[in-house]
Amino acid sequence: MKNLRGTWLHRWVGDRLLNPHLWQPEREPIARGLAVGGFFSVLQFPFQSLPAVIVAMAVGGNIPAALVGCWITNPLSAAFIVWIELEIGFRFLGMGSPYAAMREGSVWEVLKDAPFPFAVGALLLAPVTAVMCYFGSKWIYDLVRILIERSAKNRRLAPRWRRKPPTD
């Protein structure tokens, strides 16, 4: 972090980017960062990570967690998420199901002909994803911490002959 001081990036974003709480693995900032990343991951536009980092800095979220949250939409999951957004958008707008529109063509043709239901579905799914990421990451963080503490306790209570010798 000391190497960034005085660079163009430091002059542009200031000390906010260099705040150690935005980079260290702490429970609440990780939850905020993943929620922000999850929100932007389902909004299908390029360069999702840039607004995710900016918003994570604004809300005090962990920046690496926000970047990881953006990876929810990846080449393997993108088609599934697009389909869910179409389904939500069509049903919310009372247009039935996208299955009827799919009879004439593919998902991409439906997106080209009906971008509004897709956008509505994305805007409805984004906050749900953010809430799931927020509470899910807190639960996983607590679970990992308990497992680490239990492992450390088991190592302390192990008989001497079962302990591993310290490595130099």
Side-chain angles (χ1 to χ4, degrees), residues 9 34 37 39 61 74 88 94 108 116 126 156:
L9 185 63
L34 278 173
F39 180 87
N74 57 58
I88 290 171
W108 304 117
F116 186 67
R156 282 192 306 269

Side-chain angles (χ1 to χ4, degrees), residues 1 4 9 12-38 40 48-71:
M1 294 296 182
L4 290 177
L9 185 63
W12 187 56
V13 294
D15 288 328
R16 182 86 174 138
L17 179 67
L18 304 177
N19 183 352
H21 292 290
L22 299 180
W23 296 93
Q24 294 174 352
E26 297 171 353
R27 184 176 189 256
E28 186 63 30
I30 285 178
R32 286 185 200 149
L34 278 173
V36 168
F40 283 105
Q48 301 162 328
S49 57
L50 183 61
V53 167
I54 292 169
V55 172
M57 284 175 28
V59 299
N62 185 285
I63 291 175
L67 293 173
V68 168
C70 288
W71 297 340

Side-chain angles (χ1 to χ4, degrees), residues 87-110:
E87 189 74 33
I88 290 171
F90 268 74
R91 298 217 185 244
F92 183 79
L93 296 173
M95 298 171 65
S97 174
Y99 291 118
M102 291 256 320
R103 289 187 187 145
E104 292 95 31
S106 68
V107 172
W108 304 117
E109 290 178 18
V110 172

